[in-house]
Amino acid sequence: MRMPRVIVLLAALLAAGLFAASADEDGLRRIIAKFADAKDFKATEAVARELAETGDPAVERVLLALADGNLFVRKGDGAVFVGKETGASVTLSDPLTGEKAGEAAKAEITKVKVNNGLRRLIRDLLGGLTLGSADPLTRGVAADTMFRTPDAANIEALDAAIARETVASVKARLEQARAASILVSDGSDEEKVVAIAVVEARGDRDALSLLTAVAARTEGAVREAAENAIAQVNGRLALWAAGQNVWYGISLGSVLLLAAIGLAITFGVMGVINMAHGEMVMLGAYTTYVVQSIIRTSFPGLFDWSLAFALPLAFLVAAAVGLAIERGIIRFLYGRPLETLLATWGVSLILQQSVRTLFGPTNREVGNPSWMSGGFDLGQMALTWNRFWIVLFALGVFAVLLYVMKRTPWGLQMRAVTANRRMAASMGIRTPWVDALTFALGSGIAGIAGVALSQIDNVSPNLGQGYIIDSFMVVVFGGVGNLWGTLVGAMSLGVLNKFLEPYAGAVLGKILVLVLIILFIQKRPRGLFALKGRAVEA
Amino acid sequence: MITGRFFASGADRRVLFTIAALLGVAALVPVLNLAVPPANMFHVPTYMVALVGKYLCYALLALALDLVWGYCGILSLGHGAFFALGGYAMGMYLMRQIGDRGVYGNPILPDFMVFLNWKELPWFWYGFDRFWFAALMVVLVPGALAFAFGWFAFRSRVTGVYLSIITQALTYALLLAFFRNDMGFGGNNGLTDFKDILGFSIQAGTTRSALFSASAVALAAAVYVTWRIVGSKFGKLMIAVRDAESRTRFLGWRPENIKLFAFTVSAVMAGIAGALYVPQVGIINPGEFDPSNSIEVVVWTAVGGRGTIVGPIVGALLVNTGKSYFTGALPDLWLFALGGLFVCVTLFMPKGVLGLWDQLRARFARNGGRTETPPQDAAQPVARSAAQTAVESRGLGAATPEPQPAE
Amino acid sequence: MGKKSGTILYLDGVSVSFDGFRAINNLSLVLDRGEMRAIIGPNGAGKTTMMDIVTGKTRPDEGEVFFDGSVDLTRHDEAEIATMGIGRKFQKPTVFEGHSVEDNLVLSLNGPRSIFPALFHRRSGAESRRVDEILAITRLEAKRNDMAASLSHGQKQWLEIGMLLAQDPKLLLVDEPVAGMTDAETVETARLLKDIARTHSVIVVEHDMHFVRELGVKVTCLHEGSVLSEGSLEHVSGDPRVIEVYLGR
């Protein structure tokens, strides 16, 4: 039974329109009151028609309630209400405005009875009603509803609507709805084949199910056309699904990019593997948590701005910790990359346990600001806002870093130190400071990555560990000393992961990716964008 | 003549003493556990036998890591994988030994397979009902994986931190794989509820003592084998590869083959350690593949002193005793202690406890006016760190530690 | 083929570039069997890269590299080339610092290069004698049991030459053997190399003109990856192009 779903959909989408107070409310109320006197289905039908003929969108609520069997008449005064049954009593509300109008025992009211014929009529009435709506969005939705539940009886209304429609996109949807209606009518085969082409052009899952139904119950040319159309639609849907996977992959890739890019900088410039990098990400996420907690308790109105406060703070916190690690430990271990790896692993254990002691071992709740919740559709793809913003954010961070590295004096110094440390030192660059600041920068970026990750992942002391191996894979895959390598590495690993997932499952997909990287390193031990030449091999 | 030379060296004396001590413990502990009444002060309680037996397996794992890291310069962050594979091979044998005594009473299928509604034993479980086959697999599976992995990695000259990272990725991939139920290794519960081994109840005191002795003897044998490898020309080559890999290549040696052999032998040792470990703790699960386990092994070796044979054993025993104490008494502090240990050992004790001990002894000997020189383990990483060698090989020749961009 | 016979090393039209920079540019060089050749050239002339190509460390983008008249070196890797009989001393002395002087030589001695012989190796009398000989030649007898790390710079250079001798190659590539040596040591090194050249083919790369004069052999001057001038030291040092390159424009 499709009805309730359709009605819920309509109700939700039209709720906005209903707030507009109707000009002739009294007139409507007078018609609604007639439900009290309607003794049989025929009478009820007449009242419903009369309501629909007003063309006023405000009648939606009543008609919907009627179709759902939720329209009641109070025995005492014959007033009509929309009711919602809760146990023995019924919560009443005004049939036009939806305002609460108290409760009533079941014995005090009678339901306005409906049958299936009446329900279908109401649906058509509603469709026709909304087809005439002033709001193109509403008209479009009405067209889609009719498309999903095609009925030969709609053709006339649709023809009229098409004739007066001015918005091209809505017109197209109306035509699709008409085509769908033709397919269920007893029209000629030629007409139906043309209609199939129209439906095929729509190309979504609804079109597919409609075509499948058509192919199942028809013969000959129509069936053939439908089957061809199904193949076409399937092909297009597969493309969309691939697009969706690419999007998921880019989304994962941007997360990897955020986590890995700081690592790429420290590893590229200093040859230091920072095993505590993941914990810098975690610190950033916890900074976000603390900021949000303060905002929640003290300045609730600023909640949508919480990330704006968290970003610089997370950068500073992580950068400060990074600076401390570099000055306190790593600078004594330069030139001994394996020892650095071990010492920073030790640091990561200490940081994890510190956070566990301070904040507890369980996940902390970090909320999404309103502009990061929900999602939107792009063609046949579903995109969520938080992922969308994170992709943009990752690219933004990348662009800023690229600018810093290529266009600022500091970046120039960093690149000079990467290329030839001794020469840079003799040119007067204070290499220890460049090292320390580079490390702080790498850590700070990890911190802001933590802010972004807090929006899509659990904030727990183990947050960082989940990303560290993947980030390393990105750096190793992309090659060090080249930010573009990191970008390409992150995106291709992300996309590869998401493309393997449907076939191999999430875990096996991940294993496959790891194995592929291990094999890839055999071929290009220095990554995709490795520097080549004597200086590197010496 | 040769033995004379061996005995002349303090480091070799230390190795021989360790072997003797291990064999002595292997003979003595079962007696003290089984024959001496509990009231007697010389009685060794059974829980102690199991605990130290476990440590000995860890020591064997640490020794295996030391062979590749300390002597050949390959920092493997995935040795726990070989340990776990050896453990799984043994666990599969123990699983098959349960027979129809499981909860579901299926004579062939282990409980978890019945639970998953499997009708047939997967092919890779065949043969594990025989001990000899399982024992063979304990050696073959880790060895083959190490060989295959090393074949690719060393041939394409993946070195340094890159190698470390991909070994970590290797064990991580295995961790994910073994967590899957449809892999056929019991998913995240792993293999457990073992009943007996070679017909003896696994819970019995005698079995536990026997397993303890087996671990001690295996460790002694591993010490001997490592000692002989390290003392041979091949051992010198390993050190040569560690210190100046490309030089060995221009002398006509193939560093990739040298590393491959060392890595494979080491993986086999780790596998044996895992196989001895599983019956003593009574369970093997994918957690053993956790990368952090493998890194912990590195710290045992570092604490004891890498590039020595006795060091990793001392390190494994020390750190694990500390861990048992901390996790019991101050569980929150253990990770702080372990993390601090990583930092301190790399910063202040690059040669580990053994190196520190030798330094102290040398100072004491000098103060005491004696002329005895401390045992010079030829294999110890030279005082000049790898850093300097690396710096020099770049023609920099600087003595101060300096970062280098990753290659 | 005719051109190659009788040569120990034959390079023709060899080029290699790194990221667009042509380190070696259409280089042709022929070394006869038993010949010693000195190669000079300013920094960046491609001397070390040339050695990298000959020893298999770098693959040339184009050109022919033949050893002993018939072996195409571009098809072999470092270890194969080394076992065929090309030994190399690095610009920066590279010895096994963790090993004694004696062990350094033992590891270099000609012999089987696979795992199991090394694992079960017992030193033969002949090998011991050879090690003694080389220690005598390189004047390191007194240092026999010292760690290589403890040697002076000059001694490390000599140890590395000793390792070359132990390898007993047909062709020796010696990169800056006297860098950082005293004058007396330089003279000694020249004597040693001339000695070696009696039974081996040798290429010496050196900046030190006194040393090159001391060697008294044919000289090749490289510049920007190709041969600038070739002939006796007098001829080369009189060549106006060489003077221009060394003194600047």
Side-chain angles (χ1 to χ4, degrees), chain A residues 430-483:
Chain A
R430 291 161 71 187
T431 54
W433 274 111
V434 173
D435 292 336
L437 290 179
T438 307
F439 201 83
L441 174 71
S443 305
I445 304 247
I448 58 176
V451 178
L453 291 186
S454 73
Q455 294 299 309
I456 51 171
D457 205 345
N458 296 328
V459 178
S460 78
N462 299 328
L463 170 73
Q465 285 209 303
Y467 288 97
I468 190 75
I469 290 188
D470 287 337
S471 323
F472 278 129
M473 290 300 125
V474 167
V475 173
V476 165
F477 181 67
V480 289
N482 188 333
L483 288 181

Side-chain angles (χ1 to χ4, degrees), chain A residues 267-273 275 328-347 349-354 356-357 417-422 425 431 435 465-466 468-470 472-473 475-476 479-480 504-505 507-508 510-511 514-515 517-519 521-523 525-527 531 535-538, chain B residues 69 73-75 77 149 151-162 164-166 168-170 172-174 176-180 183 290-293 295-296 298-299 302 306 331-340 342-343 345-347 350 385-388 390-391 393-398 401-407:
Chain A
F267 189 37
V269 176
M270 304 151 81
V272 161
I273 284 277
M275 292 298 256
I329 297 170
I330 292 178
R331 74 178 161 125
F332 302 110
L333 296 171
Y334 280 135
R336 291 154 66 191
L338 297 182
E339 272 88 344
T340 315
L341 193 153
L342 295 180
T344 49
W345 175 264
V347 172
L349 291 182
I350 294 174
L351 287 174
Q352 269 178 43
Q353 188 59 34
S354 308
R356 203 170 283 133
T357 312
V417 171
T418 312
N420 190 333
R421 175 169 296 274
R422 302 256 297 168
T431 54
D435 292 336
Q465 285 209 303
I468 190 75
I469 290 188
D470 287 337
F472 278 129
M473 290 300 125
V475 173
V476 165
V480 289
V507 176
L508 209 58
K510 196 155 186 160
I511 295 169
L514 285 176
V515 171
I517 292 174
I518 290 174
L519 289 178
I521 294 184
Q522 322 296 338
K523 277 279 151 221
R526 301 279 176 251
L531 298 169
V536 186
E537 287 175 28
Chain B
W69 183 35
I74 307 163
L75 176 53
L77 297 182
F149 180 82
W151 174 273
F152 286 117
F154 300 138
R155 202 147 291 261
S156 44
R157 303 192 187 171
V158 180
T159 54
V161 287
Y162 284 90
S164 301
I165 295 300
I166 62 166
Q168 190 175 26
L170 172 77
Y172 185 58
L174 284 170
L176 294 178
F178 273 74
F179 262 122
R180 289 164 55 89
M183 274 287 284
D290 193 327
S292 60
N293 279 5
I295 294 199
E296 222 174 281
V298 174
V299 92
R306 66 195 158 102
D332 284 350
L333 286 186
W334 165 241
L335 279 184
F336 285 123
L338 185 63
F342 271 101
V343 176
V345 167
T346 45
L347 279 185
S385 61
Q388 275 162 298
V391 169
S393 69
R394 275 149 206 275
L396 299 179
E402 271 189 335
Q404 290 138 22
E407 289 170 24

Side-chain angles (χ1 to χ4, degrees), chain B residues 2 157 228-229 232-259 261 376-380 382 384 389 392-397, chain C residues 52 55-57 77-80 82-83 86-90 92 94-99 103-104 106-109 112-116 118-123 127 147 149 156 160 163-164 167:
Chain B
I2 287 165
R157 303 192 187 171
R228 292 311 300 268
I229 291 180
S232 71
K233 188 176 177 182
F234 178 80
K236 294 192 169 99
L237 274 170
M238 289 200 303
I239 294 167
V241 168
R242 177 190 77 193
D243 292 345
E245 179 172 336
S246 72
R247 191 81 195 90
T248 57
R249 196 169 276 135
F250 288 109
L251 285 175
W253 296 101
R254 293 205 167 273
E256 58 269 29
N257 291 352
I258 293 164
K259 289 179 178 179
F261 182 80
Q376 254 294 322
D377 199 325
Q380 279 244 8
V382 214
R384 349 174 10 87
T389 336
E392 282 177 6
S393 69
R394 275 149 206 275
L396 299 179
Chain C
D52 284 349
T55 52
K57 187 175 176 188
D77 68 2
E78 293 105 313
E80 281 169 353
T83 44
I86 297 183
R88 177 176 185 183
K89 194 203 90 59
F90 288 83
K92 187 79 204 166
T94 314
V95 295
F96 303 124
E97 310 227 324
H99 283 313
D103 282 344
N104 265 284
V106 170
L107 290 181
S108 314
L109 277 177
R113 287 293 195 246
S114 44
I115 303 294
F116 290 98
L119 208 49
F120 301 107
H121 179 79
R122 287 262 173 280
R123 200 186 302 174
E127 282 179 332
M147 286 282 165
K156 279 185 197 164
E160 205 179 356
M163 287 160 76
L164 275 190
Q167 218 183 323

Side-chain angles (χ1 to χ4, degrees), chain C residues 98-201:
Chain C
H99 283 313
S100 68
V101 168
E102 187 177 353
D103 282 344
N104 265 284
L105 294 177
V106 170
L107 290 181
S108 314
L109 277 177
N110 207 356
R113 287 293 195 246
S114 44
I115 303 294
F116 290 98
L119 208 49
F120 301 107
H121 179 79
R122 287 262 173 280
R123 200 186 302 174
S124 67
E127 282 179 332
S128 294
R129 276 194 298 284
R130 183 71 187 138
V131 168
D132 292 343
E133 248 172 64
I134 294 169
L135 284 172
I137 295 172
T138 54
R139 315 216 165 147
L140 290 167
E141 292 119 313
K143 302 275 182 185
R144 177 190 279 264
N145 291 319
D146 287 10
M147 286 282 165
S150 68
L151 296 181
S152 75
H153 187 81
Q155 284 168 330
K156 279 185 197 164
Q157 299 267 38
W158 280 51
L159 174 56
E160 205 179 356
I161 295 173
M163 287 160 76
L164 275 190
L165 288 175
Q167 218 183 323
D168 196 24
K170 292 181 195 155
L171 170 65
L172 284 79
L173 305 175
V174 189
D175 203 347
E176 302 201 12
V178 297
M181 280 191 179
T182 63
D183 286 351
E185 282 173 332
T186 304
V187 173
E188 277 299 304
T189 309
R191 181 195 57 76
L192 177 62
L193 279 179
K194 280 195 277 189
D195 231 29
I196 293 170
R198 257 182 249 138
T199 45
H200 301 82
S201 311

